[in-house]
Amino acid sequence: MKRILRAWLLLFCLLPLCGCMAKIEINDQVFVLSLFVDMDKDTGEYKVTIASPLPNRLSSGEQAGSSGGQGEPFSLADSSGTSLPLAVGKLQRQMTRKLDFSHTRVIVVGSTMAEAGMEELFNWVLRERTLDFSTFIMSSTKQAKDVAELEPVFESLPSTVLMRFAVQNNLLGTTLKECLSAYLEGTGFALSQLNVKDAKGTSNWVSVGNIQLFNDLQAKATLNEEQSKVTSWAIGRRNTPIYRPVYYVTWDGGKSKASVLMTNSKSRQQITMTPSGPVVQLKLDGTGDVLSLEDDQQREATETNKLIIQELKDQLHEDLTASLRVSQEAGADVLGVGQLLEAKYPHLWDKWREDWGNHYKNDIEFQVKLHIKIRNTDM
């Protein structure tokens, strides 16, 4: 009996020495960190661009974005095809290693494809088993390939720049999971846009843009900067709002002014049924610090505080109301009102689900309530 126990113990000790049992070795893989998808407006062909790191050119001791004279520490490769899988297949045949999308964290969609519709992309996403649904997805004001050629000033890889935009909440960090859920439920979603500017040399400068509204996987409208900030705040139930936005208010005919940094912002949505139909209450709570203040009449701090709060409330209410109007005209339910309706009034949702875009536009009423606190006025 002791001999049998010793044999089993020896076997368990040898198991960790068996080595890697994976079918594909790491050295035989190309890890795709970001994916850029475009569509040709004339031919309808899809163009896929991937960005992957080159480990032999990465060095921890080098300056961010520097390649130490050996070339860039990343590689861009692209291919085109009449379908997205065909373009990916052509790209694979150009590679000496197998494409691996398990490390993909950012997908950027070009403006032409966003306007035409992203059904082809999401059909491929649902069937690509290695792709993580927590991957961030963004749109571009130009072609996605232009974003891929950005200049990574503070980072070593362009993919890292885009990912940090999302994880630091510099923009609305929408994921594939959220887009797929909205699409399957028949509601809409919002994506952050990336602005591309031509820089010196061959690289581009990419900055955070506004929010684009989608319905049926197709871009329907784009909000302006102020509407984008407050809409991100309102979507906060499902997503993290844009980090610490700054608002500028004036009064006394423009002679008095203040800048306010919102350090804390929350939102709540509630739906109730009235004789006229469903009413959605949007409650926005926020705390802000005064960064700069010029009061023309040198009022007391308490009086100035009330004026700033009222002006800020009026501005936020106007921007959010305008944003909701745009979303309803586009039929893009980016706030997830359909989910609220399904949870509380499932029978009505079953009745409206097939034509939810029209019902969201014509039968839903919004009520906006704001609760704002201001600090550091007396400084």
Side-chain angles (χ1 to χ4, degrees):
M1 186 67 181
K2 291 183 179 180
R3 292 181 179 178
I4 297 176
L5 290 176
R6 289 176 181 174
W8 278 108
L9 181 60
L10 181 61
L11 179 62
F12 283 128
C13 292
L14 293 175
L15 282 177
L17 305 178
C18 293
C20 180
M21 302 299 291
K23 294 181 180 180
I24 302 177
E25 294 291 340
I26 293 179
N27 291 336
D28 295 332
Q29 293 175 300
V30 175
F31 295 106
V32 180
L33 298 185
S34 52
L35 180 67
F36 306 88
V37 186
D38 287 306
M39 174 186 284
D40 191 288
K41 189 174 183 180
D42 299 325
T43 63
E45 281 196 342
Y46 295 92
K47 184 174 184 179
V48 176
T49 305
I50 63 170
S52 56
L54 299 176
N56 59 328
R57 294 182 182 176
L58 288 172
S59 175
S60 59
E62 294 176 359
Q63 184 180 359
S66 173
S67 56
Q70 301 177 359
E72 297 291 351
F74 58 90
S75 172
L76 296 178
D78 60 75
S79 182
S80 301
T82 54
S83 69
L84 189 59
L86 183 60
V88 175
K90 287 183 178 180
L91 188 60
Q92 176 62 80
R93 289 198 296 274
Q94 300 175 18
M95 297 291 165
T96 57
R97 303 184 180 189
K98 298 293 183 181
L99 294 177
D100 189 327
F101 295 97
S102 61
H103 288 69
T104 304
R105 291 297 174 263
V106 177
I107 295 178
V108 180
V109 180
S111 58
T112 303
M113 186 174 183
E115 294 172 359
M118 300 188 295
E119 187 173 359
E120 179 81 7
L121 172 62
F122 280 88
N123 281 335
W124 175 78
V125 165
L126 288 170
R127 291 167 174 81
E128 178 54 54
R129 298 178 181 273
T130 62
L131 196 61
D132 196 326
F133 282 177
S134 64
T135 300
F136 295 107
I137 182 168
M138 311 167 189
S139 63
S140 172
T141 55
K142 295 184 178 180
Q143 295 301 302
K145 177 72 178 293
D146 297 331
V147 179
E149 297 172 347
L150 66 86
E151 179 71 38
V153 178
F154 299 104
E155 308 294 339
S156 59
L157 303 174
S159 305
T160 308
V161 176
L162 302 178
M163 187 178 67
R164 291 187 67 83
F165 277 161
V167 298
Q168 293 187 149
N169 301 322
N170 293 342
L171 46 69
L172 189 65
T174 308
T175 63
L176 285 177
K177 180 181 178 181
E178 293 166 346
C179 295
L180 287 169
S181 298
Y183 175 59
L184 296 175
E185 291 172 359
T187 60
F189 57 88
L191 297 182
S192 290
Q193 278 190 318
L194 299 172
N195 295 325
V196 184
K197 295 182 180 180
D198 296 332
K200 295 181 179 179
T202 58
S203 300
N204 296 323
W205 179 264
V206 175
S207 60
V208 177
N210 298 324
I211 288 178
Q212 198 169 24
L213 309 182
F214 285 77
N215 185 29
D216 291 333
L217 300 180
Q218 186 177 9
K220 300 294 185 180
T222 303
L223 305 177
N224 61 32
E225 182 179 357
E226 297 303 321
Q227 293 170 354
S228 296
K229 288 193 297 185
V230 73
T231 301
S232 168
W233 186 346
I235 296 177
R237 179 177 61 88
R238 298 186 303 169
N239 209 320
T240 304
I242 294 175
Y243 180 67
R244 297 164 70 92
V246 177
Y247 292 93
Y248 177 77
V249 295
T250 62
W251 62 99
D252 292 337
K255 295 180 180 180
S256 301
K257 52 190 175 181
S259 297
V260 180
L261 171 68
M262 299 306 299
T263 57
N264 185 24
S265 56
K266 299 179 181 179
S267 67
R268 292 172 292 170
Q269 298 90 18
Q270 183 179 0
I271 189 169
T272 56
M273 188 63 65
T274 66
S276 59
V279 176
V280 179
Q281 290 185 350
L282 295 178
K283 299 179 181 179
L284 272 61
D285 297 325
T287 302
D289 289 333
V290 175
L291 298 180
S292 64
L293 172 63
E294 294 183 22
D295 190 354
D296 183 63
Q297 299 185 17
Q298 300 295 318
R299 300 175 178 86
E300 294 290 334
T302 54
E303 185 179 358
T304 306
N305 193 55
K306 292 180 181 179
L307 288 171
I308 296 175
I309 290 176
Q310 187 58 51
E311 292 295 330
L312 188 57
K313 280 184 175 182
D314 292 342
Q315 179 178 324
L316 290 171
H317 190 281
E318 180 181 355
D319 292 336
L320 183 54
T321 301
S323 171
L324 293 172
R325 192 182 309 115
V326 172
S327 72
Q328 286 188 293
E329 288 295 327
D333 177 17
V334 297
L335 296 180
V337 176
Q339 297 178 14
L340 297 175
L341 190 65
E342 181 182 13
K344 195 166 184 180
Y345 305 103
H347 297 294
L348 183 59
W349 170 252
D350 291 338
K351 188 177 179 181
W352 284 2
R353 182 171 186 172
E354 294 299 326
D355 193 21
W356 173 239
N358 287 329
H359 288 293
Y360 173 72
K361 176 180 179 180
N362 301 314
D363 301 323
I364 299 297
E365 179 184 349
F366 287 97
Q367 293 180 353
V368 178
K369 294 185 177 181
L370 299 164
H371 183 256
I372 306 296
K373 295 180 180 178
I374 297 298
R375 303 178 299 193
N376 301 333
T377 311
D378 55 348
M379 294 180 66

